[in-house]
Amino acid sequence: MNNILKNFVYSQNSINTYKSCPLKFKYKYLDKINWRKDDIGSREYYESLQMGSEFHLLCERYFSNIPLGINEKNSLKYTKWMDKIKKLLPIISENKDETIYLPEYEIRYNLNGNTITAKYDLVVINNNKIDIWDWKTENKKVDYKNAQNRIQTIVYMYLAKEVIPKLYNIDVNFEDVTMKYYQPEFEDEPVSISYNEEIHNSYNNRIDQYIQMIRNIELHNVKNDNHCKFCEFNKLCNGQEVEYQLLEEENYEY
Ligand code: SF4
């Protein structure tokens, strides 16, 4: 067993990376090869990540009830996005309904001896219901099918149901856990993923299966050639230029 894997904290990012390509997982999480921005082509990609990061910070401030402090650069866009968030999720100052807002909330769970973590953009607890919110600022629209199949959805909903009711000492039915993906760039309503016990059990199995695969180091040199054009290691593996506009944002945590 690789020493790093002995105490590894699994996350949607690491599982997703493994699912894309086991060799990519090895490069990123075991060999810890750093991918640095060092050319002009990467600039636009990094700028879009930076916008996402800034928007996440503004949401964190809003739900923490502290001043937003919107940056002058791109202030029009951020103001428009934040107005949408305020309309979608108005915070009632007296909070009579005792809604709990947990921005940038991180939890951990021990699944069969392995630690797995989830860091949520926002968790809202109200009336024994849990809403998980995720902000997406990428240009590609998230649709229901895509959202439902994301490793992020699987890990986030599973951990929310297992951990949050115990921490807050509340009873939460499976059907009362919802995951919502919201893209402020689009006019649409959030994409809402519903839940039930059967889905929960299937998510348990899928997460466990992924962890067992990751722990099998014999699989670590397996390549997924279909993923190369979306991968930052394309130059390292195949000597080909990285196409930044194709890189998947979801592999990079804000
Ligand atoms: S370039 Fe291809 S083979 Fe190499 S790590 Fe990325 S996806 Fe895997």
Short mmCIF file of all heavy atoms in Angstrom, two decimals, residues 166-227:
data_model
loop_
_atom_site.label_atom_id
_atom_site.label_comp_id
_atom_site.label_asym_id
_atom_site.label_seq_id
_atom_site.Cartn_x
_atom_site.Cartn_y
_atom_site.Cartn_z
N LYS A 166 -26.86 14.01 12.31
CA LYS A 166 -26.25 13.68 13.62
C LYS A 166 -25.64 14.92 14.25
O LYS A 166 -25.78 15.16 15.45
CB LYS A 166 -25.17 12.60 13.44
CG LYS A 166 -25.74 11.25 13.03
CD LYS A 166 -24.66 10.16 12.99
CE LYS A 166 -25.21 8.90 12.33
NZ LYS A 166 -24.74 8.66 10.99
N LEU A 167 -24.95 15.72 13.44
CA LEU A 167 -24.31 16.92 13.99
C LEU A 167 -25.33 17.90 14.56
O LEU A 167 -25.08 18.57 15.55
CB LEU A 167 -23.48 17.63 12.91
CG LEU A 167 -22.21 16.92 12.43
CD1 LEU A 167 -21.57 17.70 11.29
CD2 LEU A 167 -21.21 16.75 13.57
N TYR A 168 -26.48 18.01 13.89
CA TYR A 168 -27.48 18.99 14.31
C TYR A 168 -28.63 18.36 15.10
O TYR A 168 -29.61 19.03 15.43
CB TYR A 168 -28.01 19.77 13.09
CG TYR A 168 -27.00 20.81 12.68
CD1 TYR A 168 -25.93 20.48 11.86
CD2 TYR A 168 -27.07 22.11 13.18
CE1 TYR A 168 -24.96 21.42 11.53
CE2 TYR A 168 -26.12 23.06 12.86
CZ TYR A 168 -25.06 22.70 12.04
OH TYR A 168 -24.11 23.64 11.73
N ASN A 169 -28.47 17.06 15.38
CA ASN A 169 -29.46 16.36 16.19
C ASN A 169 -30.89 16.53 15.65
O ASN A 169 -31.80 16.95 16.37
CB ASN A 169 -29.36 16.86 17.64
CG ASN A 169 -29.96 15.87 18.60
OD1 ASN A 169 -30.14 14.69 18.25
ND2 ASN A 169 -30.32 16.32 19.79
N ILE A 170 -31.04 16.27 14.37
CA ILE A 170 -32.36 16.38 13.74
C ILE A 170 -32.65 15.10 12.95
O ILE A 170 -31.73 14.39 12.55
CB ILE A 170 -32.45 17.60 12.78
CG1 ILE A 170 -31.25 17.62 11.80
CG2 ILE A 170 -32.58 18.90 13.53
CD1 ILE A 170 -31.32 18.68 10.72
N ASP A 171 -33.94 14.83 12.77
CA ASP A 171 -34.34 13.72 11.91
C ASP A 171 -34.56 14.25 10.50
O ASP A 171 -35.33 15.20 10.33
CB ASP A 171 -35.66 13.11 12.40
CG ASP A 171 -35.44 12.34 13.69
OD1 ASP A 171 -34.37 11.72 13.83
OD2 ASP A 171 -36.34 12.38 14.55
N VAL A 172 -33.89 13.65 9.56
CA VAL A 172 -34.07 14.09 8.17
C VAL A 172 -34.40 12.87 7.31
O VAL A 172 -33.65 11.89 7.30
CB VAL A 172 -32.77 14.77 7.64
CG1 VAL A 172 -32.94 15.16 6.18
CG2 VAL A 172 -32.40 15.98 8.48
N ASN A 173 -35.53 12.93 6.64
CA ASN A 173 -35.89 11.84 5.73
C ASN A 173 -35.02 11.90 4.48
O ASN A 173 -34.57 12.98 4.08
CB ASN A 173 -37.36 11.95 5.30
CG ASN A 173 -38.28 11.76 6.48
OD1 ASN A 173 -38.00 10.96 7.37
ND2 ASN A 173 -39.36 12.52 6.51
N PHE A 174 -34.81 10.75 3.87
CA PHE A 174 -34.02 10.72 2.63
C PHE A 174 -34.59 11.71 1.61
O PHE A 174 -33.87 12.42 0.93
CB PHE A 174 -34.02 9.31 2.03
CG PHE A 174 -33.27 8.31 2.88
CD1 PHE A 174 -33.93 7.49 3.76
CD2 PHE A 174 -31.89 8.23 2.77
CE1 PHE A 174 -33.23 6.56 4.54
CE2 PHE A 174 -31.18 7.31 3.55
CZ PHE A 174 -31.86 6.48 4.44
N GLU A 175 -35.91 11.74 1.52
CA GLU A 175 -36.58 12.59 0.52
C GLU A 175 -36.40 14.07 0.82
O GLU A 175 -36.69 14.92 -0.03
CB GLU A 175 -38.09 12.27 0.47
CG GLU A 175 -38.43 10.92 -0.15
CD GLU A 175 -38.08 9.73 0.75
OE1 GLU A 175 -37.83 9.94 1.96
OE2 GLU A 175 -38.07 8.59 0.24
N ASP A 176 -35.94 14.39 2.02
CA ASP A 176 -35.78 15.80 2.39
C ASP A 176 -34.34 16.30 2.24
O ASP A 176 -33.97 17.33 2.80
CB ASP A 176 -36.28 16.03 3.82
CG ASP A 176 -37.79 15.91 3.89
OD1 ASP A 176 -38.44 16.21 2.86
OD2 ASP A 176 -38.32 15.51 4.94
N VAL A 177 -33.54 15.52 1.52
CA VAL A 177 -32.20 16.00 1.14
C VAL A 177 -32.26 16.33 -0.34
O VAL A 177 -32.71 15.52 -1.15
CB VAL A 177 -31.12 14.92 1.38
CG1 VAL A 177 -29.75 15.42 0.95
CG2 VAL A 177 -31.10 14.49 2.84
N THR A 178 -31.86 17.55 -0.68
CA THR A 178 -31.90 17.98 -2.09
C THR A 178 -30.57 18.63 -2.45
O THR A 178 -29.99 19.34 -1.63
CB THR A 178 -33.03 19.01 -2.31
OG1 THR A 178 -34.23 18.49 -1.79
CG2 THR A 178 -33.22 19.33 -3.79
N MET A 179 -30.12 18.35 -3.65
CA MET A 179 -28.91 19.04 -4.13
C MET A 179 -29.28 19.96 -5.27
O MET A 179 -29.98 19.55 -6.20
CB MET A 179 -27.88 18.00 -4.57
CG MET A 179 -26.69 18.59 -5.26
SD MET A 179 -25.13 18.12 -4.52
CE MET A 179 -24.06 19.40 -5.18
N LYS A 180 -28.82 21.22 -5.18
CA LYS A 180 -29.19 22.20 -6.21
C LYS A 180 -27.94 22.80 -6.83
O LYS A 180 -27.09 23.35 -6.10
CB LYS A 180 -30.03 23.32 -5.58
CG LYS A 180 -31.37 22.86 -5.04
CD LYS A 180 -31.98 23.95 -4.17
CE LYS A 180 -33.18 23.49 -3.40
NZ LYS A 180 -34.44 23.59 -4.11
N TYR A 181 -27.86 22.70 -8.13
CA TYR A 181 -26.77 23.35 -8.87
C TYR A 181 -27.31 24.66 -9.44
O TYR A 181 -28.32 24.65 -10.14
CB TYR A 181 -26.30 22.47 -10.02
CG TYR A 181 -25.52 21.25 -9.57
CD1 TYR A 181 -26.16 20.03 -9.37
CD2 TYR A 181 -24.15 21.33 -9.33
CE1 TYR A 181 -25.45 18.91 -8.96
CE2 TYR A 181 -23.43 20.21 -8.92
CZ TYR A 181 -24.09 19.01 -8.74
OH TYR A 181 -23.38 17.91 -8.33
N TYR A 182 -26.62 25.75 -9.14
CA TYR A 182 -27.09 27.04 -9.65
C TYR A 182 -26.00 27.74 -10.45
O TYR A 182 -24.86 27.86 -10.01
CB TYR A 182 -27.55 27.95 -8.50
CG TYR A 182 -28.10 29.25 -9.02
CD1 TYR A 182 -29.25 29.25 -9.81
CD2 TYR A 182 -27.48 30.46 -8.76
CE1 TYR A 182 -29.76 30.43 -10.34
CE2 TYR A 182 -27.98 31.64 -9.27
CZ TYR A 182 -29.13 31.62 -10.07
OH TYR A 182 -29.62 32.79 -10.59
N GLN A 183 -26.40 28.20 -11.65
CA GLN A 183 -25.47 28.91 -12.53
C GLN A 183 -25.98 30.34 -12.73
O GLN A 183 -26.94 30.56 -13.47
CB GLN A 183 -25.40 28.19 -13.89
CG GLN A 183 -24.80 26.80 -13.77
CD GLN A 183 -24.65 26.14 -15.12
OE1 GLN A 183 -25.60 25.59 -15.65
NE2 GLN A 183 -23.46 26.18 -15.68
N PRO A 184 -25.32 31.31 -12.08
CA PRO A 184 -25.83 32.68 -12.15
C PRO A 184 -25.76 33.29 -13.54
O PRO A 184 -26.45 34.26 -13.83
CB PRO A 184 -24.90 33.45 -11.18
CG PRO A 184 -23.65 32.65 -11.14
CD PRO A 184 -24.07 31.22 -11.31
N GLU A 185 -24.95 32.70 -14.40
CA GLU A 185 -24.81 33.22 -15.76
C GLU A 185 -26.09 33.01 -16.57
O GLU A 185 -26.37 33.73 -17.50
CB GLU A 185 -23.62 32.51 -16.43
CG GLU A 185 -23.24 33.00 -17.79
CD GLU A 185 -22.70 34.43 -17.79
OE1 GLU A 185 -22.38 34.96 -16.72
OE2 GLU A 185 -22.61 35.01 -18.89
N PHE A 186 -26.87 32.02 -16.18
CA PHE A 186 -28.09 31.70 -16.93
C PHE A 186 -29.33 32.13 -16.15
O PHE A 186 -29.29 32.27 -14.93
CB PHE A 186 -28.15 30.20 -17.21
CG PHE A 186 -26.95 29.71 -18.00
CD1 PHE A 186 -25.93 29.02 -17.36
CD2 PHE A 186 -26.83 29.98 -19.34
CE1 PHE A 186 -24.81 28.59 -18.07
CE2 PHE A 186 -25.73 29.55 -20.06
CZ PHE A 186 -24.72 28.86 -19.42
N GLU A 187 -30.41 32.30 -16.88
CA GLU A 187 -31.63 32.81 -16.23
C GLU A 187 -32.41 31.70 -15.53
O GLU A 187 -33.33 31.95 -14.78
CB GLU A 187 -32.55 33.46 -17.28
CG GLU A 187 -31.99 34.74 -17.89
CD GLU A 187 -31.64 35.79 -16.83
OE1 GLU A 187 -32.35 35.88 -15.83
OE2 GLU A 187 -30.63 36.49 -17.03
N ASP A 188 -32.01 30.47 -15.77
CA ASP A 188 -32.82 29.35 -15.30
C ASP A 188 -32.86 29.20 -13.78
O ASP A 188 -32.05 29.76 -13.06
CB ASP A 188 -32.25 28.03 -15.84
CG ASP A 188 -31.94 28.10 -17.31
OD1 ASP A 188 -31.80 29.21 -17.81
OD2 ASP A 188 -31.83 27.05 -17.91
N GLU A 189 -33.80 28.39 -13.37
CA GLU A 189 -33.88 27.97 -11.97
C GLU A 189 -32.75 26.98 -11.70
O GLU A 189 -32.20 26.41 -12.65
CB GLU A 189 -35.22 27.24 -11.74
CG GLU A 189 -36.44 28.13 -11.80
CD GLU A 189 -36.51 29.07 -10.62
OE1 GLU A 189 -36.48 28.57 -9.49
OE2 GLU A 189 -36.55 30.29 -10.85
N PRO A 190 -32.41 26.73 -10.43
CA PRO A 190 -31.38 25.72 -10.17
C PRO A 190 -31.81 24.33 -10.66
O PRO A 190 -33.00 24.04 -10.73
CB PRO A 190 -31.26 25.71 -8.64
CG PRO A 190 -32.19 26.70 -8.11
CD PRO A 190 -32.96 27.33 -9.22
N VAL A 191 -30.83 23.52 -10.97
CA VAL A 191 -31.11 22.11 -11.28
C VAL A 191 -31.17 21.38 -9.94
O VAL A 191 -30.19 21.37 -9.19
CB VAL A 191 -29.99 21.51 -12.16
CG1 VAL A 191 -30.21 20.01 -12.36
CG2 VAL A 191 -29.93 22.22 -13.50
N SER A 192 -32.33 20.82 -9.60
CA SER A 192 -32.52 20.20 -8.29
C SER A 192 -32.53 18.68 -8.39
O SER A 192 -33.32 18.12 -9.15
CB SER A 192 -33.86 20.63 -7.68
OG SER A 192 -33.78 21.95 -7.28
N ILE A 193 -31.69 18.05 -7.61
CA ILE A 193 -31.61 16.59 -7.62
C ILE A 193 -32.30 16.06 -6.37
O ILE A 193 -31.95 16.46 -5.25
CB ILE A 193 -30.13 16.10 -7.61
CG1 ILE A 193 -29.31 16.85 -8.68
CG2 ILE A 193 -30.05 14.59 -7.78
CD1 ILE A 193 -29.65 16.54 -10.09
N SER A 194 -33.25 15.16 -6.58
CA SER A 194 -33.97 14.61 -5.41
C SER A 194 -33.30 13.31 -4.95
O SER A 194 -32.41 12.78 -5.61
CB SER A 194 -35.44 14.40 -5.76
OG SER A 194 -35.54 13.72 -6.96
N TYR A 195 -33.77 12.81 -3.80
CA TYR A 195 -33.08 11.71 -3.12
C TYR A 195 -34.07 10.73 -2.52
O TYR A 195 -35.22 11.09 -2.21
CB TYR A 195 -32.23 12.32 -1.99
CG TYR A 195 -30.98 11.57 -1.64
CD1 TYR A 195 -30.11 11.12 -2.62
CD2 TYR A 195 -30.64 11.32 -0.31
CE1 TYR A 195 -28.94 10.46 -2.29
CE2 TYR A 195 -29.47 10.66 0.03
CZ TYR A 195 -28.62 10.23 -0.96
OH TYR A 195 -27.46 9.57 -0.64
N ASN A 196 -33.64 9.49 -2.34
CA ASN A 196 -34.43 8.52 -1.57
C ASN A 196 -33.49 7.44 -1.03
O ASN A 196 -32.28 7.45 -1.33
CB ASN A 196 -35.58 7.92 -2.40
CG ASN A 196 -35.09 7.17 -3.61
OD1 ASN A 196 -34.08 6.46 -3.52
ND2 ASN A 196 -35.78 7.32 -4.72
N GLU A 197 -34.04 6.52 -0.26
CA GLU A 197 -33.20 5.52 0.41
C GLU A 197 -32.48 4.61 -0.59
O GLU A 197 -31.32 4.25 -0.40
CB GLU A 197 -34.05 4.68 1.37
CG GLU A 197 -33.20 3.78 2.25
CD GLU A 197 -34.00 3.14 3.37
OE1 GLU A 197 -35.22 3.35 3.43
OE2 GLU A 197 -33.37 2.43 4.18
N GLU A 198 -33.18 4.26 -1.64
CA GLU A 198 -32.57 3.38 -2.64
C GLU A 198 -31.35 4.05 -3.29
O GLU A 198 -30.29 3.43 -3.47
CB GLU A 198 -33.63 3.06 -3.71
CG GLU A 198 -33.28 1.88 -4.55
CD GLU A 198 -34.29 1.71 -5.68
OE1 GLU A 198 -35.45 2.15 -5.56
OE2 GLU A 198 -33.89 1.12 -6.70
N ILE A 199 -31.50 5.31 -3.61
CA ILE A 199 -30.38 6.05 -4.21
C ILE A 199 -29.23 6.13 -3.20
O ILE A 199 -28.06 5.94 -3.53
CB ILE A 199 -30.81 7.48 -4.63
CG1 ILE A 199 -31.86 7.40 -5.74
CG2 ILE A 199 -29.61 8.29 -5.10
CD1 ILE A 199 -32.48 8.75 -6.10
N HIS A 200 -29.59 6.38 -1.94
CA HIS A 200 -28.57 6.49 -0.88
C HIS A 200 -27.74 5.20 -0.81
O HIS A 200 -26.51 5.25 -0.76
CB HIS A 200 -29.27 6.77 0.45
CG HIS A 200 -28.32 7.03 1.58
ND1 HIS A 200 -27.64 8.24 1.71
CD2 HIS A 200 -27.93 6.27 2.62
CE1 HIS A 200 -26.88 8.19 2.78
NE2 HIS A 200 -27.03 7.01 3.36
N ASN A 201 -28.43 4.06 -0.82
CA ASN A 201 -27.71 2.78 -0.73
C ASN A 201 -26.84 2.54 -1.97
O ASN A 201 -25.73 2.03 -1.87
CB ASN A 201 -28.70 1.62 -0.56
CG ASN A 201 -29.38 1.71 0.80
OD1 ASN A 201 -28.84 2.30 1.74
ND2 ASN A 201 -30.57 1.16 0.91
N SER A 202 -27.34 2.95 -3.12
CA SER A 202 -26.53 2.76 -4.33
C SER A 202 -25.32 3.69 -4.29
O SER A 202 -24.22 3.31 -4.73
CB SER A 202 -27.37 2.98 -5.60
OG SER A 202 -27.55 4.34 -5.84
N TYR A 203 -25.47 4.88 -3.74
CA TYR A 203 -24.33 5.80 -3.62
C TYR A 203 -23.28 5.23 -2.66
O TYR A 203 -22.08 5.35 -2.90
CB TYR A 203 -24.79 7.18 -3.13
CG TYR A 203 -25.46 8.03 -4.18
CD1 TYR A 203 -25.66 7.56 -5.48
CD2 TYR A 203 -25.90 9.33 -3.89
CE1 TYR A 203 -26.28 8.36 -6.45
CE2 TYR A 203 -26.51 10.12 -4.86
CZ TYR A 203 -26.70 9.63 -6.13
OH TYR A 203 -27.31 10.42 -7.07
N ASN A 204 -23.75 4.61 -1.59
CA ASN A 204 -22.83 3.98 -0.64
C ASN A 204 -21.96 2.97 -1.38
O ASN A 204 -20.74 2.97 -1.26
CB ASN A 204 -23.66 3.31 0.47
CG ASN A 204 -22.80 2.46 1.40
OD1 ASN A 204 -22.15 1.52 0.96
ND2 ASN A 204 -22.76 2.78 2.68
N ASN A 205 -22.61 2.12 -2.17
CA ASN A 205 -21.85 1.08 -2.90
C ASN A 205 -20.89 1.69 -3.90
O ASN A 205 -19.75 1.25 -4.03
CB ASN A 205 -22.82 0.14 -3.63
CG ASN A 205 -23.66 -0.64 -2.63
OD1 ASN A 205 -23.27 -0.78 -1.47
ND2 ASN A 205 -24.80 -1.13 -3.07
N ARG A 206 -21.34 2.71 -4.60
CA ARG A 206 -20.48 3.30 -5.63
C ARG A 206 -19.26 3.97 -5.01
O ARG A 206 -18.14 3.81 -5.51
CB ARG A 206 -21.27 4.31 -6.47
CG ARG A 206 -22.19 3.59 -7.44
CD ARG A 206 -22.91 4.55 -8.34
NE ARG A 206 -22.04 5.22 -9.28
CZ ARG A 206 -22.46 6.09 -10.18
NH1 ARG A 206 -23.72 6.39 -10.25
NH2 ARG A 206 -21.62 6.67 -11.01
N ILE A 207 -19.45 4.69 -3.93
CA ILE A 207 -18.29 5.36 -3.30
C ILE A 207 -17.31 4.31 -2.80
O ILE A 207 -16.10 4.40 -3.01
CB ILE A 207 -18.76 6.27 -2.12
CG1 ILE A 207 -19.62 7.42 -2.64
CG2 ILE A 207 -17.54 6.83 -1.37
CD1 ILE A 207 -20.33 8.21 -1.55
N ASP A 208 -17.86 3.26 -2.16
CA ASP A 208 -16.98 2.20 -1.64
C ASP A 208 -16.22 1.51 -2.78
O ASP A 208 -15.03 1.25 -2.67
CB ASP A 208 -17.83 1.19 -0.85
CG ASP A 208 -16.94 0.26 -0.05
OD1 ASP A 208 -16.06 0.78 0.66
OD2 ASP A 208 -17.09 -0.97 -0.17
N GLN A 209 -16.90 1.27 -3.87
CA GLN A 209 -16.23 0.62 -5.02
C GLN A 209 -15.09 1.50 -5.56
O GLN A 209 -14.00 1.01 -5.85
CB GLN A 209 -17.23 0.37 -6.15
CG GLN A 209 -18.05 -0.88 -5.94
CD GLN A 209 -19.23 -0.95 -6.89
OE1 GLN A 209 -19.39 -0.12 -7.78
NE2 GLN A 209 -20.10 -1.93 -6.68
N TYR A 210 -15.36 2.79 -5.67
CA TYR A 210 -14.30 3.68 -6.17
C TYR A 210 -13.10 3.66 -5.22
O TYR A 210 -11.95 3.61 -5.65
CB TYR A 210 -14.82 5.11 -6.32
CG TYR A 210 -15.59 5.32 -7.60
CD1 TYR A 210 -16.90 5.79 -7.58
CD2 TYR A 210 -15.01 5.05 -8.84
CE1 TYR A 210 -17.61 5.98 -8.75
CE2 TYR A 210 -15.72 5.24 -10.01
CZ TYR A 210 -17.01 5.70 -9.97
OH TYR A 210 -17.72 5.88 -11.13
N ILE A 211 -13.36 3.70 -3.92
CA ILE A 211 -12.25 3.71 -2.96
C ILE A 211 -11.45 2.41 -3.06
O ILE A 211 -10.22 2.43 -3.06
CB ILE A 211 -12.79 3.93 -1.52
CG1 ILE A 211 -13.30 5.37 -1.39
CG2 ILE A 211 -11.70 3.67 -0.48
CD1 ILE A 211 -13.94 5.70 -0.05
N GLN A 212 -12.14 1.29 -3.19
CA GLN A 212 -11.43 0.01 -3.32
C GLN A 212 -10.56 0.00 -4.58
O GLN A 212 -9.44 -0.50 -4.57
CB GLN A 212 -12.42 -1.17 -3.36
CG GLN A 212 -13.21 -1.38 -2.07
CD GLN A 212 -12.36 -1.24 -0.81
OE1 GLN A 212 -11.22 -1.69 -0.75
NE2 GLN A 212 -12.90 -0.56 0.19
N MET A 213 -11.07 0.58 -5.66
CA MET A 213 -10.27 0.63 -6.89
C MET A 213 -9.05 1.51 -6.69
O MET A 213 -7.94 1.16 -7.08
CB MET A 213 -11.12 1.17 -8.05
CG MET A 213 -12.05 0.14 -8.63
SD MET A 213 -12.69 0.67 -10.23
CE MET A 213 -13.92 1.83 -9.76
N ILE A 214 -9.24 2.65 -6.06
CA ILE A 214 -8.12 3.58 -5.85
C ILE A 214 -7.05 2.93 -4.97
O ILE A 214 -5.85 3.13 -5.18
CB ILE A 214 -8.63 4.90 -5.22
CG1 ILE A 214 -9.47 5.68 -6.24
CG2 ILE A 214 -7.46 5.76 -4.74
CD1 ILE A 214 -10.15 6.92 -5.68
N ARG A 215 -7.48 2.11 -4.02
CA ARG A 215 -6.52 1.48 -3.11
C ARG A 215 -5.74 0.34 -3.78
O ARG A 215 -4.74 -0.13 -3.23
CB ARG A 215 -7.25 0.97 -1.85
CG ARG A 215 -7.71 2.13 -0.96
CD ARG A 215 -8.60 1.64 0.15
NE ARG A 215 -7.86 0.87 1.14
CZ ARG A 215 -7.16 1.38 2.13
NH1 ARG A 215 -7.09 2.69 2.29
NH2 ARG A 215 -6.54 0.61 3.00
N ASN A 216 -6.17 -0.08 -4.96
CA ASN A 216 -5.46 -1.13 -5.68
C ASN A 216 -4.37 -0.50 -6.56
O ASN A 216 -4.64 -0.05 -7.68
CB ASN A 216 -6.46 -1.91 -6.54
CG ASN A 216 -5.80 -3.04 -7.29
OD1 ASN A 216 -4.58 -3.19 -7.26
ND2 ASN A 216 -6.60 -3.84 -7.97
N ILE A 217 -3.12 -0.48 -6.03
CA ILE A 217 -2.09 0.29 -6.75
C ILE A 217 -1.73 -0.33 -8.10
O ILE A 217 -1.14 0.33 -8.94
CB ILE A 217 -0.81 0.50 -5.91
CG1 ILE A 217 -0.25 -0.83 -5.43
CG2 ILE A 217 -1.00 1.46 -4.78
CD1 ILE A 217 1.16 -0.71 -4.89
N GLU A 218 -2.10 -1.59 -8.30
CA GLU A 218 -1.79 -2.20 -9.60
C GLU A 218 -2.53 -1.51 -10.74
O GLU A 218 -2.16 -1.64 -11.91
CB GLU A 218 -2.14 -3.69 -9.57
CG GLU A 218 -1.14 -4.47 -8.75
CD GLU A 218 -1.49 -5.94 -8.67
OE1 GLU A 218 -2.26 -6.41 -9.51
OE2 GLU A 218 -0.99 -6.59 -7.73
N LEU A 219 -3.59 -0.80 -10.38
CA LEU A 219 -4.37 -0.13 -11.44
C LEU A 219 -3.87 1.29 -11.71
O LEU A 219 -4.36 1.97 -12.61
CB LEU A 219 -5.85 -0.06 -11.01
CG LEU A 219 -6.58 -1.39 -10.82
CD1 LEU A 219 -8.00 -1.15 -10.34
CD2 LEU A 219 -6.62 -2.18 -12.13
N HIS A 220 -2.85 1.74 -10.94
CA HIS A 220 -2.51 3.16 -11.01
C HIS A 220 -1.84 3.59 -12.31
O HIS A 220 -1.77 4.78 -12.59
CB HIS A 220 -1.63 3.56 -9.82
CG HIS A 220 -2.44 3.70 -8.57
ND1 HIS A 220 -1.90 3.91 -7.35
CD2 HIS A 220 -3.78 3.64 -8.38
CE1 HIS A 220 -2.85 3.96 -6.44
NE2 HIS A 220 -4.00 3.80 -7.03
N ASN A 221 -1.33 2.66 -13.07
CA ASN A 221 -0.71 3.06 -14.34
C ASN A 221 -1.65 2.88 -15.52
O ASN A 221 -1.24 3.06 -16.66
CB ASN A 221 0.60 2.30 -14.57
CG ASN A 221 1.69 2.84 -13.64
OD1 ASN A 221 1.83 4.05 -13.49
ND2 ASN A 221 2.43 1.95 -13.01
N VAL A 222 -2.90 2.55 -15.21
CA VAL A 222 -3.89 2.41 -16.29
C VAL A 222 -4.18 3.80 -16.87
O VAL A 222 -4.41 4.76 -16.14
CB VAL A 222 -5.19 1.76 -15.76
CG1 VAL A 222 -6.28 1.80 -16.82
CG2 VAL A 222 -4.92 0.34 -15.30
N LYS A 223 -4.14 3.88 -18.21
CA LYS A 223 -4.41 5.16 -18.88
C LYS A 223 -5.80 5.15 -19.48
O LYS A 223 -6.25 4.11 -19.96
CB LYS A 223 -3.42 5.36 -20.03
CG LYS A 223 -2.01 5.65 -19.63
CD LYS A 223 -1.20 5.77 -20.91
CE LYS A 223 0.18 6.34 -20.63
NZ LYS A 223 0.90 6.58 -21.90
N ASN A 224 -6.43 6.28 -19.48
CA ASN A 224 -7.68 6.41 -20.23
C ASN A 224 -7.44 7.39 -21.37
O ASN A 224 -7.55 8.60 -21.19
CB ASN A 224 -8.80 6.91 -19.30
CG ASN A 224 -10.08 7.14 -20.07
OD1 ASN A 224 -10.21 6.74 -21.23
ND2 ASN A 224 -11.04 7.80 -19.43
N ASP A 225 -7.08 6.84 -22.52
CA ASP A 225 -6.73 7.69 -23.66
C ASP A 225 -7.87 8.60 -24.10
O ASP A 225 -7.65 9.66 -24.68
CB ASP A 225 -6.28 6.83 -24.85
CG ASP A 225 -4.98 6.11 -24.54
OD1 ASP A 225 -4.21 6.64 -23.72
OD2 ASP A 225 -4.75 5.01 -25.08
N ASN A 226 -9.11 8.19 -23.81
CA ASN A 226 -10.26 9.01 -24.21
C ASN A 226 -10.30 10.34 -23.46
O ASN A 226 -11.00 11.26 -23.86
CB ASN A 226 -11.58 8.27 -23.95
CG ASN A 226 -11.70 7.07 -24.84
OD1 ASN A 226 -11.19 7.08 -25.95
ND2 ASN A 226 -12.35 6.02 -24.34
N HIS A 227 -9.59 10.39 -22.33
CA HIS A 227 -9.67 11.61 -21.51
C HIS A 227 -8.52 12.58 -21.79
O HIS A 227 -8.56 13.72 -21.34
CB HIS A 227 -9.66 11.19 -20.03
CG HIS A 227 -9.86 12.33 -19.09
ND1 HIS A 227 -11.06 12.97 -18.92
CD2 HIS A 227 -8.98 12.96 -18.28
CE1 HIS A 227 -10.92 13.94 -18.03
NE2 HIS A 227 -9.66 13.96 -17.64
#
